[in-house]
């Protein structure tokens, strides 16, 4: 389930909660931009016993777009074989998708900042959503967030 959350400070946020376990989730927040070539945002992962955050995920305009990836998953609501994946240019964020019977999509959100640096870390959570409307809603909400549009 997704929700374009408006916080007290009216900063746009999008929260994805797992259909199977609502305590597992992902939040897009703290969006900013220095120029017309990129969008920067924070991504938070939550699960029982886990909280992880990367403060500056970068989406470049020439990257393959996360919104397009999510829209393609939503369009294939009848399912697919294997795993599909997307990642940011610097690989701080990787998103993998699998389809399971019953019409659900498993999205594994993996954060791995500073992957080449000593002391780097990684964390991931998997959210399960309905293949049709919930995936389409997620694609629209993330697209609006990255474009800087209020929910």
């Amino acid at each position: 389930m997704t929700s374009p959350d408006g916080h007290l400070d009216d900063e746009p946020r999008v929260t994805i909660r797992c259909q199977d376990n609502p305590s597992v989730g992902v939040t897009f927040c703290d969006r900013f931009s220095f120029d017309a070539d990129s969008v920067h945002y924070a991504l938070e992962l939550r699960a029982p016993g886990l909280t992880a955050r990367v403060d500056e995920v970068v989406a470049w305009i020439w990257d393959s777009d996360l919104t397009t990836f999510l829209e393609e998953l939503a369009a294939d609501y009848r399912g697919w074989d294997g795993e599909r994946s997307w990642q940011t240019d610097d690989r701080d964020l990787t998103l993998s998708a699998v389809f399971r019977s019953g019409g659900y999509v498993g999205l594994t959100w993996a954060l791995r900042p500073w992957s080449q640096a000593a002391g780097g870390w990684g964390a991931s959570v998997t959210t399960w959503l309905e293949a049709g409307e919930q995936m389409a809603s997620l694609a629209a909400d993330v697209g609006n967030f990255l474009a800087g549009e209020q929910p």
Side-chain angles (χ1 to χ4, degrees):
M1 297 174 279
T2 66
S3 61
D5 299 330
H7 256 251
L8 298 177
D9 55 10
D10 287 332
E11 290 294 321
R13 301 168 73 87
V14 174
T15 299
I16 301 105
R17 289 184 186 87
C18 180
Q19 176 92 10
D20 294 346
N21 183 351
S23 66
V24 175
V26 177
T27 299
F28 288 76
C29 56
D30 299 336
R31 181 197 182 282
F32 66 97
S33 186
F34 294 118
D35 53 42
D37 293 331
S38 64
V39 174
H40 303 244
Y41 57 93
L43 193 73
E44 300 172 349
L45 306 180
R46 287 176 321 287
L50 171 73
T51 301
R53 177 182 167 115
V54 172
D55 286 321
E56 197 169 337
V57 177
V58 180
W60 298 96
I61 60 166
W62 57 82
D63 272 348
S64 62
D65 183 41
L66 175 57
T67 304
T68 302
F69 177 72
L70 293 170
E71 288 170 345
E72 290 169 356
L73 295 177
D76 288 341
Y77 63 91
R78 291 189 178 151
W80 62 86
D81 292 324
E83 181 179 276
R84 296 180 179 180
S85 62
W86 173 91
Q87 63 189 8
T88 58
D89 190 47
D90 59 9
R91 298 185 174 132
D92 280 356
L93 169 61
T94 301
L95 179 58
S96 301
V98 295
F99 188 87
R100 78 174 176 197
S101 63
Y104 290 92
V105 177
L107 299 172
T108 299
W109 307 82
L111 294 176
R112 287 185 179 78
W114 317 296
S115 60
Q116 303 302 316
W121 58 271
S124 66
V125 298
T126 300
T127 56
W128 289 94
L129 301 174
E130 291 176 2
E133 286 301 312
Q134 285 185 349
M135 284 300 303
S137 177
L138 172 60
D141 292 346
V142 169
N144 289 337
F145 174 82
L146 292 175
E149 298 171 10
Q150 290 289 90

